[in-house]
Amino acid sequence: MSFGQGGPSWGPGDSRTPDWAALADASAARGRRRKWLMIGGGALATAAVGAIVATAVITTDGGGGAPGPEKNASKLPAPADLPSESAPGPSFSSVAPPPPPDPKDYIADEKKDKSPVTVDAFFPGRKLTMGDRVYAKGATTRTTGCATVTQGALGSILDNNGCDQVIRATYSKDGIAVTVGLAVFGTEAEAKTAAQQASGGLASLSGSGVPTFCRGGSVCRRTANSYGRYAYFTVGGFISGKNVTTAHKDVYAVGDDLTDFTFLPRCTSVKLLRSGVRCRTRAGQFVPGCGAGPGPASSRRW
């Protein structure tokens, strides 16, 4: 029997007693519906979240695909963007440097030759050592009377070419003595002309343990040459008065050593020496930087 529209239906018999079995079935059906709705909603929510995450990943990766070395490398800054680790290199002028001056110019004229012109400047010390050869130093002189220390025509030749002074020194070893004389001029041309015109010779210088030699007609070796504004002359031979021949190489060696040594002070001060002669130190070592010059001295015998 039903009271009002939509009211519960009570079963036959007692009109006021509910149908408990029917109510229980209806409640169970509603619970099952609610459970399935919750499960379905959860699945839909999970799917939606997954779709959102997938979309974000695809957007970030620029259209999908697994990231690789190429993608990582493309994210590095370009070489032009990297800071430079090296300092800027030195800059050089495009203008070529001037050529070095000719060392010979320093002693070619008295205006440029500022080194002292004295006995000690050219012949220092008490002995001369050239390699394993040691020569004792004898007498030395310096005079402005150039012709007074010569023999024969050499005196007038020196005066006519403007000789300012002559410095002489004698060295000896094993019975051989050599005098070297340095004639000083104002210019290279004067010295060169005097050496080329040389006749007669330098007078030997005795004293300080060296007896008179190369006088009285004995044959000795004489040389003449020039370098810069200097003309130099040597006379050498045996102290005993024995005549010198080309076979006496020891006499030639002493004269050559002395001419080498004469310009050694100039060589060490202005880094040059007459050509043809290798510049040695007093310990026998060759001096670097000594230039070439006019060649070996001319040799005469009178």
Side-chain angles (χ1 to χ4, degrees), residues 57-77:
V57 171
I58 292 173
T59 302
T60 303
D61 288 346
E70 295 81 0
K71 281 185 169 290
N72 293 333
S74 66
K75 296 178 181 179
L76 295 174

Side-chain angles (χ1 to χ4, degrees), residues 41-99:
L44 288 174
T46 301
V49 171
I52 293 171
V53 171
T55 301
V57 171
I58 292 173
T59 302
T60 303
D61 288 346
E70 295 81 0
K71 281 185 169 290
N72 293 333
S74 66
K75 296 178 181 179
L76 295 174
D81 299 333
L82 294 175
S84 174
E85 296 181 358
S86 60
S91 60
F92 298 95
S93 173
S94 59
V95 179

Side-chain angles (χ1 to χ4, degrees), residues 152-203:
L154 183 59
S156 61
I157 293 173
L158 296 183
D159 287 343
N160 292 339
N161 285 285
C163 177
D164 296 324
Q165 60 177 303
V166 174
I167 299 173
R168 289 187 300 165
T170 297
Y171 292 85
S172 62
K173 178 180 183 295
D174 299 334
I176 298 172
V178 175
T179 296
V180 57
L182 193 70
V184 184
F185 296 85
T187 66
E188 180 180 14
E190 293 172 345
K192 186 176 182 179
T193 301
Q196 291 174 341
Q197 295 177 350
S199 179
L202 183 73

Side-chain angles (χ1 to χ4, degrees), residues 9-37:
S9 174
W10 310 103
D14 188 355
S15 60
R16 303 301 263 172
T17 301
D19 188 351
W20 299 108
L23 292 173
D25 290 340
S27 177
R30 286 194 300 274
R32 285 194 297 273
R33 264 195 319 273
R34 212 167 22 251
K35 179 179 180 181
W36 285 112
L37 286 173

